[in-house]
């Protein structure tokens, strides 16, 4: 489908906002040459059109993906939106145009550049989220377990089912320092409101108490004690636990554990 008009879109950064841009493109018969969240509008090279988020239009597009392509494409688009690709919106838009043209077969067109890049990005997202299932380290603050992570992708939506099931009887908070998001579970309030994903520009934590400091020292001592020096393989460790994860790992702290992996103020 070739449309004569081209346009760039700016939206609010939400998933529904992106789907609203897709709707507007087809409704106006315009080819989107760029789609950016509002905070990135300085980088748009074309005169951009602001697209208001419309949940009804977004729902129509999302339903159309399942009907005209396949339900697996819906999941691929949702996950693709969580990736760290700088041009993810345009890539997802191009994938959808291919999907609406070719239907289910687009999922197997792995030699096509757009499809290949999208699958590769989603694989990176899933690999990173799986790694964080083992690399999240909680600290106790009052009655709440608190953890801080610095992922490249927006992994919290993928981590939520795992940690909510594993800690179903606990109140916990996982702060994504990179994307300024927090996954929170609490034990009070209506069941529907006990788990949520929120934006949080800054997380300020109190100093850990003596008991928490003691547990951190014990965990570090355990980690160092069980290591078999003769079987040490730094290269293998880096392949399984890259250094970018070390910042928030208690056992990888090299000095004063009184502050542990959680600085008092996170910006």
């Amino acid at each position: 489908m070739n449309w004569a008009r081209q346009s760039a879109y700016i939206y609010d950064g939400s998933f529904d906002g992106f789907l609203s841009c897709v709707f507007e493109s087809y409704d106006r018969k315009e080819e989107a040459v760029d789609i950016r969240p509002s905070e990135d509008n300085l980088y748009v090279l074309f005169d951009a059109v602001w697209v208001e988020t419309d949940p009804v239009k977004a729902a129509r597009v999302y339903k159309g993906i399942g009907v005209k392509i396949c339900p697996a494409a819906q999941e691929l688009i949702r996950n693709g939106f969580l990736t760290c690709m700088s041009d993810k919106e345009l890539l997802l838009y191009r994938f959808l145009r291919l999907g609406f043209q070719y239907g289910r077969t687009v999922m197997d067109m792995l030699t096509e550049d757009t499809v290949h890049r999208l699958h590769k990005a989603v694989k990176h997202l899933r690999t990173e989220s799986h790694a964080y299932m083992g690399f999240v380290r909680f600290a106790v603050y009052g009655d709440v377990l608190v953890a801080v992570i610095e992922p490249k992708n927006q992994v919290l939506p993928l981590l939520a089912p795992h940690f909510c099931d594993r800690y179903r009887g606990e109140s916990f908070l996982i702060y994504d320092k990179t994307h300024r998001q927090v996954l929170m579970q609490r034990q009070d309030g209506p069941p529907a409101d006990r788990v949520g994903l929120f934006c949080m520009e800054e997380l300020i934590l109190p100093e850990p108490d003596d008991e928490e400091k003691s547990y951190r020292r014990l965990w570090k001592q355990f980690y160092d004690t069980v290591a078999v020096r003769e079987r040490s393989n730094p290269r293998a460790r880096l392949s399984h636990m890259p250094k970018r994860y070390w910042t928030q790992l208690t056992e990888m702290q090299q000095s004063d554990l009184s502050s542990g992996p959680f600085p008092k103020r996170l910006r």
Side-chain angles (χ1 to χ4, degrees), residues 11 13 15 18 36-37 39-40 74-93 95 114-129 151-158 176 178-179 181 244:
Y11 73 111
F15 184 59
F18 164 70
R36 298 273 182 173
E39 60 266 25
D40 290 344
Q74 292 176 315
E75 181 181 4
L76 185 65
I77 291 295
R78 285 199 311 269
N79 287 339
F81 192 77
L82 300 175
T83 64
C84 57
M85 293 184 298
S86 58
D87 59 343
K88 64 183 179 183
E89 292 91 350
L90 192 58
L91 187 71
L92 292 169
Y93 170 77
F95 172 81
T114 296
V115 181
H116 171 74
R117 288 181 59 207
L118 180 55
H119 277 281
K120 183 178 180 180
V122 170
K123 181 180 179 181
H124 181 259
L125 165 75
R126 291 172 177 166
T127 299
E128 186 177 43
S129 65
K152 293 182 179 180
N153 301 282
Q154 298 180 54
V155 298
L156 288 182
L158 276 65
D176 178 348
T178 307
H179 303 96
Q181 294 177 340
R244 68 185 182 88

Side-chain angles (χ1 to χ4, degrees), residues 25-226:
S25 169
Y26 277 81
D27 188 54
R28 301 176 184 181
K29 292 183 171 53
E30 295 176 339
E31 179 185 359
V33 293
D34 203 0
I35 304 175
R36 298 273 182 173
S38 55
E39 60 266 25
D40 290 344
N41 60 2
L42 293 178
Y43 300 99
V44 176
L45 300 178
F46 304 87
D47 291 333
V49 176
W50 169 259
V51 175
E52 195 73 32
T53 298
D54 188 324
V56 175
K57 293 178 180 178
R60 286 181 59 183
V61 173
Y62 190 72
K63 181 180 179 181
I65 295 171
V67 173
K68 296 183 179 180
I69 308 176
C70 64
Q74 292 176 315
E75 181 181 4
L76 185 65
I77 291 295
R78 285 199 311 269
N79 287 339
F81 192 77
L82 300 175
T83 64
C84 57
M85 293 184 298
S86 58
D87 59 343
K88 64 183 179 183
E89 292 91 350
L90 192 58
L91 187 71
L92 292 169
Y93 170 77
R94 289 171 176 168
F95 172 81
L96 289 177
R97 289 198 62 174
L98 288 170
F100 291 146
Q101 180 179 359
Y102 294 104
R104 170 65 181 81
T105 58
V106 72
M107 299 292 290
D108 302 319
M109 296 168 57
L110 300 181
T111 57
E112 207 284 329
D113 183 64
T114 296
V115 181
H116 171 74
R117 288 181 59 207
L118 180 55
H119 277 281
K120 183 178 180 180
V122 170
K123 181 180 179 181
H124 181 259
L125 165 75
R126 291 172 177 166
T127 299
E128 186 177 43
S129 65
H130 180 74
Y132 270 112
M133 290 179 187
F135 292 154
V136 171
R137 297 292 181 264
F138 286 101
V140 178
Y141 288 87
D143 297 327
V144 182
L145 301 175
V146 180
V148 180
I149 59 176
E150 300 180 60
K152 293 182 179 180
N153 301 282
Q154 298 180 54
V155 298
L156 288 182
L158 276 65
L159 293 179
H162 171 79
F163 284 102
C164 289
D165 180 65
R166 185 175 181 182
Y167 295 99
R168 63 179 62 187
E170 302 284 349
S171 295
F172 70 80
L173 181 153
I174 303 176
Y175 180 63
D176 178 348
K177 185 178 177 182
T178 307
H179 303 96
R180 305 291 192 266
Q181 294 177 340
V182 60
L183 170 66
M184 184 172 65
Q185 175 177 280
R186 59 182 186 176
Q187 297 306 307
D188 58 339
D193 297 333
R194 292 180 183 176
V195 178
L197 185 63
F198 310 98
C199 294
M200 182 180 290
E201 285 298 317
E202 183 179 18
L203 175 65
I204 302 175
L205 295 172
E207 291 292 342
D209 59 23
D210 291 340
E211 184 177 18
E212 173 61 28
K213 293 176 184 178
S214 177
Y215 276 118
R216 294 181 186 182
R217 285 192 292 269
L218 286 172
W219 176 249
K220 180 70 164 64
Q221 183 179 355
F222 170 78
Y223 178 83
D224 293 338
T225 302
V226 299

